Amino acid sequence: MALATTQKYEELVVEISDDPTTAPAITWSRACGLIDAEITRSANVDTAEIPDCDDESKPLSVERQVRSIEVTVSGNGVWAQESHGRLMDWFYSSATKWCRVGNLNAASGDTEYETGLALLTNLSNARTKGQKVTATLEVMFDGTPARTAAP
């Protein structure tokens, strides 16, 4: 029996850049404080009902086609002073920033990074007495991220 090769917590990374130059010649850093991250890749699908031309009494056939692809990143953790100014500035600027998702345990030739411009679309904080302040954020890629293979 061959066991699956798995990825460790620290091998799935979300990195952001404040550098306005184009990828890949930019400086990356991780949002300090994020403990959980979820990357969602979705296909937006159009549906059409197609009739049978020979026998219109038959049920219609449903055909589907991908219209667009979107990638989002959501995360939560503690609200870290090291990321406070950067995340607040990003949200209030409504600007796109370079963002990348890394699968650092990708096999050679498989996708290691998904990179592109992204928007910070949600930034939330919460407090509970006796606990640290928490943070939740959502990042949406502006277009389909470019995929880079692992060496």
Side-chain angles (χ1 to χ4, degrees), residues 64-147:
R64 293 180 172 84
Q65 183 172 343
V66 174
R67 178 174 22 95
S68 60
I69 293 174
E70 63 181 311
V71 179
T72 60
V73 178
S74 56
N76 61 64
V78 295
W79 187 245
Q81 182 182 24
E82 293 80 0
S83 295
H84 174 81
R86 186 169 175 224
L87 291 174
M88 295 291 282
D89 289 349
W90 186 12
F91 180 80
Y92 282 104
S93 73
S94 300
T96 57
K97 287 191 181 237
W98 286 104
C99 185
R100 74 179 183 178
V101 174
N103 290 281
L104 305 184
N105 194 33
S108 180
D110 285 347
T111 300
E112 180 178 32
Y113 286 104
E114 297 163 87
T115 306
L117 290 170
L119 293 163
L120 180 58
T121 59
N122 180 40
L123 183 60
S124 303
N125 297 114
R127 70 178 195 162
T128 301
K129 188 160 181 74
Q131 302 293 315
K132 300 292 182 187
V133 172
T134 60
T136 302
L137 60 81
E138 183 166 353
V139 173
M140 298 179 84
F141 279 94
D142 182 18
T144 303
R147 296 169 45 202

Side-chain angles (χ1 to χ4, degrees), residues 26-80:
I26 55 182
T27 304
W28 298 102
S29 62
R30 298 179 188 159
C32 184
L34 285 184
I35 297 170
D36 297 322
E38 181 176 341
I39 293 79
T40 304
R41 298 165 191 89
S42 302
N44 297 308
V45 177
D46 287 327
T47 303
E49 294 180 324
I50 310 300
D52 183 315
C53 290
D54 293 332
D55 185 354
E56 290 184 341
S57 69
K58 288 185 177 180
L60 300 173
S61 177
V62 176
E63 294 184 5
R64 293 180 172 84
Q65 183 172 343
V66 174
R67 178 174 22 95
S68 60
I69 293 174
E70 63 181 311
V71 179
T72 60
V73 178
S74 56
N76 61 64
V78 295
W79 187 245

